[in-house]
Amino acid sequence: MAASVSLGVGSLVWVEETELAWLDGEVVEVNGDTIKVACTTGKTVVVKASGVYPKDAEAPPCGVDDMTKLAYLHEPGVLQNLKSRYDMNEIYTYTGSILIAVNPFTRLPHLYDNHMMAQYKGAAFGELSPHPFAVADAAYRLMLNENISQSILVSGESGAGKTESTKLLMRYLAYMGGRSAAEGSSQRTVEQQVLESNPVLEAFGNAKTVRNNNSSRFGKFVEIQFDQRGRISGAAIRTYLLERSRVCQVSDPERNYHCFYMICAAPAEDVQKFKLGNARTFHYLNQSNCYELEGVDESKEYIATRKAMDIVGISSDEQEGIFRVVAAILHLGNIEFKKGKETDSSEPKDEKSRFHLKTAAELFMCDEKALEDSLCKRIIVTRDETITKCLDPESAAVSRDALAKIVYSRLFDWLVDKINSSIGQDPDSKCLIGVLDIYGFESFKTNRLLTVFEQFCINLTNEKLQQHFNQHVFKMEQEEYTKEEIDWSYIDFVDNKDVLELIEKKPGGIIALLDEACMFPRSTHETFAQKLYQTFKNHKRFSKPKLSRTDFTICHYAGDVTYQTDLFLDKNKDYVVAEHQALLSASKCSFVAGLFPLLSEDSSKQSKFSSIGARFKQQLQALLETLSVTEPHYIRCVKPNNLLKPAIFENKNVLQQLRCGGVMEAIRISCAGYPTKKPFDEFVDRFGILAPEVLDGSSDEVAACKRLLEKVGLKGYQIGKTKVFLRAGQMADLDARRSEVLGRSASIIQRKVRSYLSRRSFISLRLSAIQLQAACRGQLVRKIYESMRREAAALRIQKDLRMFLARKAYKELCSSALCIQKGMRGLAARNELRFRRQTRAAIILQSQCRKYLARLHYMRLKKAAITTQCAWRGKVARKELRKLKMAAKETGALQAAKNKLEKQVEELTWRLQLEKRMRADLEEAKTQENAKLQSALQEMQLEFKETKELLMKERGAAKRAAEQIPVIQEVSVIDHAMVDKLAAENEKLKSLVSSLEKRIDETQKKYEETNKLSEERLKQALEADQKIVQLKTAMHRLEEKFSDVESENQILRQQGLLKTPVKRIADILSTPEKTPVLENGHHLNEENGANEPMSAMPIKEVETESERKMKKSQQYDDIDALIKCVSKDIGFSQGKPVAAFTIYKCLLQWKSFEAERTSVFDRLIQMIGSAIENQDNNDHMAYWLSNTSTLLFLLQKSLTGTGAAGAPPRRKPPPTSLFGRMTMGFRSSPSSAQLAAPHLEVVRQVEAKYPALLFKQQLTAYVEKIYGIVRDNLKKELAPLLSLCIQAPRTSKGTALRSGRSFGKDSPSSHWQSIIECLNTLLCTLKENFVPPVLVEKIFTQTFSYINVQLFNSLLLRRECCTFSNGEYVKSGLAELELWCAQAKEEYAGSSWDELKHIRQAVGFLVIHQKYRISYDEITNDLCPILSVQQLYRICTLYWDSNYNTRSVSPDVISSMRVLMTEDSNNAVSSSFLLDENSSIPFSVDDLSNSLQEKDFTDVKPADELLENTAFQFLQE
C-alpha cells in the first residue's frame, strides 16, 4: 500500500522509524527510487520511495471520528488519527462499524451517565460521537426491527479496558430492556442480576497481572434474552478457559485471584471462623511480593461481593460454603511434605503442616486421615487386586496442588451455573444479544512458562475470531459495493485458514497430536516436540527455533509466537484423582459434596482421561456457531501504554495491538478493493481545481465527478450511487496533481501580489507629491488673503469712527433742547395742581358737616325702635319658657325607658353569644366523633327507614302531648333528653355513612389492582368505575336526606313550642330555629343558623315534604343544566371566558362555597377531566386552559379558610325581629334611610368550607396538567425540526462559486421558518382563547429553554456541527428566533431570548475569526462566560473548518482547559458537559392571581343559553 506514484519535492509523507513507529516529514530531494525526507523531529533520512506513505495535508488536527473517512487508509494514518483524538480526550473512534476504544486510565463519568444514555437512545449509528452506547443501541435496534439475534465482541489485551467496556454495554442494554418501576416487582429483576454478576465473577476470576490490576483470567460470553417487546426476559453466562494454574503458582509482581485477599481482610468473626490470618502467611499468596492494590480496600470489596451474591440469588448458607472452600484452599497450600518412614513415601513436614491439614479437613468437613492419604498415596486398580502406592514428597505436593486447582475450578463452574439458574432463561425468547468479553492475542518477548499452554489456547481463540472478523469485514465491504451498484469482481484477501488447520485439524493437528501424546504414559514433552517437528517440517506457518530442542513457533496473523512445550502435556490433562473425588464426595458439607457428585458406573468404567485442549476446542466451536447465527458488532480495546497512566500514547505498543486486534487486517482487506471512498460533494470540493471547466454551469455532482476523472486520466476507479471509489494509490496521485496545480496557482498569486504591491507603492508616491504641491500653493494663497483682509479691516475702522463722532454731536444738541422744554412745561403743571387742591378741600369740609347732621337724626330713631322690640320679645319668651318646662318633665320619662331597653338588649346579646359558643362546642365535639365512625350503605338505608318511622311516631306523640298538657308558666328552651337522643341517632347514621365510604374505597382499590393485572378487562373496569361514581352519588343523596330528617326533627320541636304560651322575650330569642336550606340544596350547620338569633319571631310556616322534594329536584336540574352548558365551547365576553364566569356566579349564588357537603364540585371536576381527553388539539386545550385558570383566579380572590387570620369580618345580616328593628332605630341616624344601597361586587369574599378548598386544589392540578400538555405538544412538534436545524444542508463549494446555486435541495432557512410557524400558530391559538399572559410567557420561556438544551447538546455530540459554516447557519436561525421574540412583545415572550444563552454563546464562539489569538481569560470572561470548562473544551476540540480552513484555539488554551478538567475529574456533576431539561411547573397560583384584576370582570356577560332558563335569572343582576 506504499506510494505507487512519483513523489515530488514538497510532498508530505510518512517514514517508518524504529522507536516511534512512524515519522512525518517533507520530501526535500528525489533521486530515482530513493528520496530524502526532512522529518518534523529535525532528523533527515534517506529511504526508498516504496517504503513511504503519503500524508494528508488537509487532515483535521483533531482527527476524524470514522477512519473510513481518511483520505489515506494506512497504518501511519490510522495511528496518527487515534493519537490526535486521544490527545483531545476522544477515546472512541469508528472504523466503519468497528469501535476502537483507547483506555484513558482516568475517570470520565460524564461520558457514561443516564443523560448520555438518553442521548444515544434511538440515534442513528454514526450520527453522534463514537461510543459503546452507540454500538449497543445499533445492536438493540437491529434485533427489534429485523428480529435477528446480535452479538458484540469485545477484545483486546490485558489492561485495555475490555471488562469496563462490557459493563457499559450491559448497562445500556439493561437501560433499554429494563422494566419500569410500575412493571417491576419487589423481587430482583433480570437486568439487576446480570449487572451484579460482574463483581461476583470478577472476585473469583480476575487477578492482578503485569499489564493490568484487574485482569480477567477467563473468557466470558453473556447472552441477554429479550421478549417480543424488547424487554429483558432471561440471561445466561458462559465462561472459557479459567487459568487454574494461578491458584497454586503466582509470579512476581502478580497476584492470585481477588477472593483470596478479600477473605483474609474479612471481618474478624469470619477470619476467626476460617482460622485465617495475614495474606503473607499463605504459600499460595506469598510467592509474589504484591499483596495490596492501590486504591482498593479488600475489606470493603468483601462486603460488596457478599451483597452482590445476595442480589444474584446466592443464599447465605451457600455463601458460607463458598468462602469455606476458598479458606480450605489457602490452608491446603500451607501443607508441606517430607520423606516418610517407608521408601518413596511422604508425610506432613511438621506441626504447622499438621495444623493446616486438620483445618483444611475441618473446612471440607471430611476425615483428616483420609485427606492425608489422598494427598500422599495412590490406589492402583488392576484386574486381580488393588495396589496402594506411596508418593514421594514432590509427588505429594503435586497432588496437593492438583486438588486445590480442581476444587477452585469446580467452585468457579458452580458459581457460573448458580448465577445462570438464579437469573433464569426464557425458553420463548426468539432473539438475544450476546456480549463476548474474550482475551486478546498474546505475544511476549519472553513467555511465562506457567501460562504458555493458556497462551496457546488464547491465540487459537483469536485466530478463530479473526477468521470470523475477516469474513464479516469482507462481507461488509462487498455489501457496500453492492449497495453502491459498482462493478466489482471477487477480492482475494489473506485468510488464516491454514493456521487453524495447523492447530485444530483432526487428525494431524497440534491439538490432536497433543491428545495422542497425553494418552501414552511414557510420552514426554521432548517426544511431543519431535513429533511436531516431523509432522509440520514443511508447513509454512510452523517453524523450529534454532537454539531450542522443544520449542516451536507459529506464524499467526498478528506475528510469530514461540511456545515452550515443557508443561503442555501436564496442563492438557483434565482428570480428577479418584481419591480426591471419593474424599470430597463423602464430605459432610452439602456444598462441598455438591461440587463433586458421585460418578455413574458407566462413566467410572470409561477412561478417566479428558483433554483440556479438545474440550476448549469444542467450547470454541459452540461459541462460533452461536456467533455465526448472530449479526456481529466489534469493539477493539487498546491500551495506550504499559505504565497504566493517562495522557501517554506509545505508538509501537498501540500499533502492535491494532495488528493483534485485526484492525490492520481489516484495512488490508479494504485496500484490496477500493480503500478510498469519497462522497461526490467532498470529491468535487477537493479536486475540482484539477479541471475547473467541468464545474462551469453544472448542477449534477455525479456528472462532474465523471468528467473530472476522465479529464485527469485515472483508470480503475468506480462511480457509485453516492461515492467515488478509488484504488490504492490513486488518491495519492490525485493529491500530487492537486499539489502541482496549487503550486502553479501559488506562483500566479505571488506574481499578482507583487504587481499589486508595486502599483500600490507608485500610487502612494504620486499621492504624496500631489499633497506636497497642494500644501505649498495653499500657503501662498493664505498669505495673499491675509493682506487683503487687513486692508478691508482698516477701511471699516475709519468708517465707524467718523460715524461715532457725528452721532455724538447730534445727541448733545438734542439733549439741550429737551431740557429747556421740560422746565417750561413743569412750571405750568405745578400752577394748575395747586389750584385743584384748594377747590377739593372746600368740597370735603362741606360734605362732612352735612353727614354729621343726618347721622344724629338716625341714631335717635333707632334707639326708640329697639326699646319697643325688647319689651315685646320678653313677654313672648316668658310664655314659651313655661311651655318648655312642661315638656322637659315628659322627656325625662322617655329617656329612662330608652336606657332600660338598651340594658335589656345588651343582656340578650350577651346571652345569645354564650348560647352560640355552647352550640359551636357541641357541634365541634359531634364532628370529631363522626370522623371516627364508619358504616355501610345498605345498613344506612335500613336505619333511615327505622328513623323515619320513629320520627312519625314522635310527631304523633308530640301532637298528643301538646293537646294534653295544660297551660305552662315557663318552658325550658332546651330539651336535653331529646337532644341527646337525636345526637345518638345522628352519630349512628353518620357512622353508617363512614363505613360506606370505607367500603367504596376498598372497591376502588380492588378495581385499580384489577386494571393493572390485565388490560383485557379494561371495559369491565370502566363499568365498575361508573358504578362507583353512581354509588358515591347515591351516598351523597342519602346524606342530604339524612340532613332533611334532622331539619324535620327541629321543625317538629318548634311546632311543639308554638303551642305553648311564651312569657319571656329572652326564652323566645334563644329558641333554636330551623336550619335554612340554600337554593342549591346544601345545608348550613348550626353555626350558620345561629348567626341570625333575632329572626326567631315571628316563625314562618313549615314547608311540606312534597315541596322540599320538588325544590331539591329542581336544584339537581339546575346543576345538570349548568354542566351541559359549560361543557360546550360558549366563547368569550370582553376577553374573558364565559364558562368560567358563569360557573363562578352560579356557585356564588347557590352558596356552594359555604356548604359542608355538596356534589357540584365533583361534577365540575369530572366534566373538566372528560373535556381534556383529546390532548392533541391545542385549540381545545388552550380554551380549557383559559377557563380553568380564570376560574382558579376567581376562587383565589373569593375563598377564605374558616377562621383564617386576616380574613375580613363577615357582615352581620340585618335583624328582622321587633326589638331588632327597635334597636336599629335607636342607634341609627335619621339620615340613614336616605343612603343608597351599596353596589353589588362581581367578586366578593366568602368563608369557604372543606369541599370548596378541595375543589380549588383539584382545579390547580388541572391548570398545571393542561399547561404541561400544551407545552409538551409544542415540544413534540419542534423535536424533529431541531434535529434538522443544528446542521446546515450540505452544498458543493465549487458549484456554489461558479453557478451560484448549491446541489442541496433544502432551503437553509426552511427548517427555522417551520419553527417560527409552530411558535406563531401556538401564540395565535393562545391569544384567540385569551389565555392569561403569564401562562403564555411561561410556555414560551420553557420552550426556548428546551430549544437551547436540544441544540446545545446536539452541537456537543456531533463533530460535523462544530464548524464555522454551521455556526453561521445556526446563528442566522437564532436571529429569526430573536426577531420573533421582538414581534411577540415582552408580554408574551418574556425572557425567552435569554434562555438561549448557551447555544448563543457557543455559536458566537464558532463564528469568530482567528480563534488562535484568543486567550483563555477572554473566552471565559467575555465570549462564553456561561459555559463550563468541559463544554468549552468539547467545542474547541471538536471544531473544524473544511471550507475556510480556520484554526481552533491555541494549544496553550487547550492545555489550560485540560488542567482545569483534571482537577475536577472526580466530580461527576462538574464533569458533565450536557445540559438537563427542566420540565417543572414554573408558576404558582399567586403568580396567576397577580396577573389578573377583578375589575376586568365587571362587563362580562354570562352564557346566553342559561339566561333563557328562569332558574338562572340571577345571572342578569
Side-chain angles (χ1 to χ4, degrees), residues 907-936:
E907 181 182 359
L908 292 175
T909 304
W910 176 80
R911 294 186 62 182
L912 176 61
Q913 294 296 333
L914 180 61
E915 185 69 20
K916 284 173 61 178
R917 283 197 295 270
M918 292 176 61
R919 292 185 181 182
D921 294 341
L922 182 60
E923 182 65 24
E924 183 178 0
K926 290 180 182 179
T927 305
Q928 292 176 356
E929 293 177 0
N930 290 344
K932 300 177 183 178
L933 302 177
Q934 301 174 347
S935 182

Side-chain angles (χ1 to χ4, degrees), residues 1349-1394:
V1349 170
Q1350 294 300 316
L1351 292 180
F1352 188 75
N1353 288 348
S1354 299
L1355 187 70
L1356 297 188
L1357 292 174
R1358 300 183 183 181
R1359 183 173 180 273
E1360 63 271 13
C1361 298
C1362 289
T1363 63
F1364 184 89
S1365 57
N1366 195 69
E1368 291 180 330
Y1369 170 71
V1370 178
K1371 186 177 181 181
S1372 64
L1374 295 178
E1376 296 286 340
L1377 293 180
E1378 183 180 13
L1379 179 62
W1380 182 88
C1381 291
Q1383 294 174 350
K1385 298 181 181 179
E1386 187 176 359
E1387 180 183 9
Y1388 297 108
S1391 60
S1392 299
W1393 176 244
D1394 296 334

